[in-house]
Amino acid sequence: MRVLLHVGTHKTGSTALQRFLHSHSATLLKHGVLYPLPFKDGSHAHVLEDYLQPEQLPHRYPNTAFMSQIAAVIRDTSPRPQVMIVSSEELGLHLMHADRARQLCEDLAALPGVESLEVIVYLRFPVSAFATSIVQQALKKKNPLDYLRYHGLPHLDYSAYLAHWRRASAERCTVRIFHSRHLKNGDIVDDFVHTFIPHVAWLCAEKAAPQNAGLPSEVLLFLWSARRLAAAL
């Protein structure tokens, strides 16, 4: 079995991809692709519970377990899946310290029936598009500026980020560019499926509308001005 560990980065369509994989998990399994034990949001962010102390977690994921259950899930799945996908941009950000990323890769590679592991990273290009997208989301969700520090700054050093995950995966790391000119059909779901699990590419016709769509600059400026005015009243 081949393990695909997708670790983001943030603002590269991860939510849309995870919802697609989650909503089609039963169909995918019939075609040999296992998307196991996702959290309620469709991602595997709760895997962090196995590698971080409670005070280090960005959020708590109560009543969840992954590493303690995944071996049994694999053994009980018949026929044995050909591919297993684990996906969370939170893993990419919060396992950037010490040997936690390497430990995750080793633990996944040691699961029953696993023959190979590949880390998949999508990078937003150009970097200015990443920064704009972060600001857009902060404005849409009325988040404070701390949101930018939490999601943005760690990912702007692409060189350090990629070096970390390449070391953790023993150089088994594939990088894709998140840009409409580089993505298959300009879409993250199409690109991921056609690139890594092409035998189920026909499922892409059933994907949902894009998540977290961007806003025009004029709308961003209006939101920023309106909130400043409201705060002053």
Side-chain angles (χ1 to χ4, degrees):
M1 180 173 66
R2 180 167 59 117
V3 174
L4 302 177
L5 175 58
H6 168 241
V7 295
T9 56
H10 280 85
K11 307 311 301 171
T12 57
S14 300
T15 299
L17 176 61
Q18 291 152 5
R19 290 181 179 177
F20 171 83
L21 295 170
H22 189 197
S23 63
H24 293 88
S25 58
T27 303
L28 288 167
L29 188 56
K30 292 178 182 178
H31 293 83
V33 179
L34 176 65
Y35 191 68
L37 303 173
F39 192 57
K40 60 185 179 181
D41 65 356
S43 79
H44 290 102
H46 57 301
V47 175
L48 289 172
E49 291 270 357
D50 293 307
Y51 296 93
L52 299 178
Q53 297 299 318
E55 65 274 10
Q56 297 172 318
L57 291 165
H59 310 286
R60 292 309 308 269
Y61 305 93
N63 305 315
T64 62
F66 187 83
M67 295 308 300
S68 62
Q69 296 186 20
I70 187 58
V73 170
I74 294 172
R75 283 193 294 266
D76 293 343
T77 301
S78 182
R80 184 65 62 86
Q82 303 164 4
V83 180
M84 182 175 77
I85 301 173
V86 176
S87 174
S88 174
E89 63 275 29
E90 300 291 351
L91 298 176
L93 177 61
H94 294 287
L95 296 183
M96 281 290 290
H97 305 287
D99 291 328
R100 296 164 188 157
R102 178 185 56 79
Q103 189 61 57
L104 171 60
C105 291
E106 291 179 354
D107 290 346
L108 291 173
L111 290 169
V114 174
E115 297 176 352
S116 66
L117 177 140
E118 180 180 1
V119 170
I120 300 166
V121 179
Y122 278 82
L123 298 179
R124 194 162 190 128
F125 179 83
V127 175
S128 58
F130 179 93
T132 300
S133 183
I134 288 290
V135 172
Q136 286 182 345
Q137 188 160 337
L139 286 171
K140 285 193 293 183
K141 294 187 175 182
K142 301 182 181 180
N143 289 321
L145 290 180
D146 283 347
Y147 180 88
L148 306 182
R149 186 182 309 115
Y150 169 75
H151 284 91
L153 297 181
H155 286 332
L156 292 180
D157 189 349
Y158 283 169
S159 178
Y161 186 90
L162 292 176
H164 178 78
W165 280 100
R166 282 171 173 152
R167 286 193 301 269
S169 63
E171 302 300 325
R172 295 165 295 185
C173 182
T174 298
V175 179
R176 303 286 295 172
I177 301 300
F178 185 83
H179 188 282
S180 59
R181 291 200 302 266
H182 295 271
L183 297 172
K184 176 73 174 180
N185 298 329
D187 182 86
I188 178 66
V189 173
D190 285 74
D191 191 80
F192 185 94
V193 172
H194 280 82
T195 303
F196 300 105
I197 45 175
H199 66 290
V200 292
W202 51 272
L203 262 180
C204 291
E206 302 179 19
K207 65 179 181 291
Q211 304 293 320
N212 299 328
L215 296 173
S217 299
E218 294 82 359
V219 176
L220 283 175
L221 181 60
F222 174 78
L223 284 174
W224 180 77
S225 302
R227 287 174 189 167
R228 288 196 66 186
L229 178 61
L233 295 177

